[in-house]
Amino acid sequence: GYADAGIAEIVERSGISVGSLYHHYGGKAGLYVALWEDLSAEQEASAAQAVSAARKSGEIDPIALFIAGARAYLRVCWERRDAARLFLGGEGPSGSSLMRRSRAQRWIAQNTKLLRGPSSGEPAGRPEQVLSLVLTTVIGETGREIATAESEAEATEIIEEVCRILIRLAR
């Protein structure tokens, strides 16, 4: 975890020099943030690509589009499980919980728009926002389980079961 990783261990395991670590990242906290941003960007890009591909194939159901994005996000949690375990574990440098909350709020807002379907021009109501909050939270917590799965088969089984549950919750 973050607290237990020392600079010497980071340098040894990564193969970079102490000077390079400080030059590029400013230290352990900066490296953490850079790696977290990289993982988050990959998860978001994968989800956006999956939603876009589903739309291109003719899918218009907002829940089906949401599930396509959720499935892609969760696949990245498996593919990048070492990083996902670190970041989904909740520990990090000072201020990282605020950073995660801010990202989560943006993610919930995006999911609320996606779940609403073609916009009517009116702002989302409280029930829509709460549904998005619940579904997004389930996906985030599932990411933690996926990252600790014993095998790809187990990760896939969890992903598919959670997607079935998300569909039931969303309807």
Side-chain angles (χ1 to χ4, degrees):
Y2 178 81
D4 294 333
I7 294 295
E9 182 182 6
I10 293 169
V11 167
E12 180 182 326
R13 291 180 70 182
S14 67
I16 64 171
S17 69
V18 172
S20 183
L21 172 70
Y22 280 97
H23 173 75
H24 291 288
Y25 304 105
K28 184 168 102 168
L31 176 62
Y32 177 94
V33 170
L35 293 173
W36 181 78
E37 287 288 345
D38 182 60
L39 177 63
S40 296
E42 185 175 341
Q43 290 167 323
E44 289 171 8
S46 183
Q49 288 170 352
V51 170
S52 179
R55 280 188 174 127
K56 285 180 183 171
S57 72
E59 184 60 68
I60 59 169
D61 177 34
I63 296 169
L65 294 170
F66 177 83
I67 295 301
R71 186 177 279 116
Y73 171 91
L74 293 170
R75 288 297 317 159
V76 174
C77 290
W78 169 253
E79 293 161 1
R80 301 273 314 273
R81 59 193 167 277
D82 290 338
R85 274 193 297 266
L86 172 64
F87 303 120
L88 295 171
E91 57 179 284
S94 176
S96 63
S97 61
L98 178 61
M99 181 177 68
R100 282 194 296 271
R101 272 196 309 274
S102 177
R103 177 68 58 95
Q105 288 171 340
R106 287 195 314 270
W107 186 24
I108 291 165
Q110 287 177 310
N111 285 343
T112 301
K113 288 178 187 174
L114 180 61
L115 286 165
R116 288 188 76 214
S119 180
S120 64
E122 294 182 28
R126 179 58 71 192
E128 292 167 317
Q129 292 171 339
V130 171
L131 175 62
S132 182
L133 169 67
V134 169
L135 297 178
T136 303
T137 300
V138 168
I139 295 166
E141 290 301 312
T142 300
R144 186 183 336 269
E145 293 302 312
I146 297 299
T148 60
E150 295 290 324
S151 67
E152 184 172 6
E154 180 184 352
T156 300
E157 182 181 333
I158 293 168
I159 291 169
E160 293 310 313
E161 182 58 29
V162 167
C163 286
R164 285 189 289 274
I165 292 167
L166 290 170
I167 291 168
R168 287 196 310 263
L169 289 171
R171 298 218 186 266

